[in-house]
Amino acid sequence: YFRQAAEAGDADAMNALGVILEVADPDGAGGAAATVWYERAVAAGSRQARYNLALRYLADEVNLTEAARHLKDLAGEGDVAAASAYAVM
């Protein structure tokens, strides 16, 4: 279901699919696939995916500037979890 909805452009489904893939295999192909779905979900307007993508970038130690930007923006919008993550970067 999530894959069909994600492929149809549903941002929440894209984010959910990313979470499923990341949990299944965080350090392998699942993590890489999750990043792709998070990026698509962010482009479709998902705030939760912005947070998940930032954490994914931090976990992979890539795109740290982008991770910081996403977390800072979300923190500025009142996201407490993002503010905490940004503070410890």
Side-chain angles (χ1 to χ4, degrees), residues 5-68:
E7 289 172 352
D10 184 305
D12 291 332
M14 291 176 197
N15 182 61
L17 183 56
V19 170
I20 291 166
L21 292 167
E22 183 172 10
V23 169
D25 184 19
D27 298 322
T35 299
V36 170
W37 282 109
Y38 292 150
E39 288 170 342
R40 290 178 184 175
V42 168
S46 172
R47 288 184 77 242
Q48 183 61 49
R50 286 181 75 191
Y51 179 74
N52 292 341
L53 179 61
L55 295 185
R56 188 77 228 151
Y57 285 162
L58 291 174
D60 291 344
E61 296 183 359
V62 298
N63 296 327
L64 298 179
T65 302
E66 281 297 299

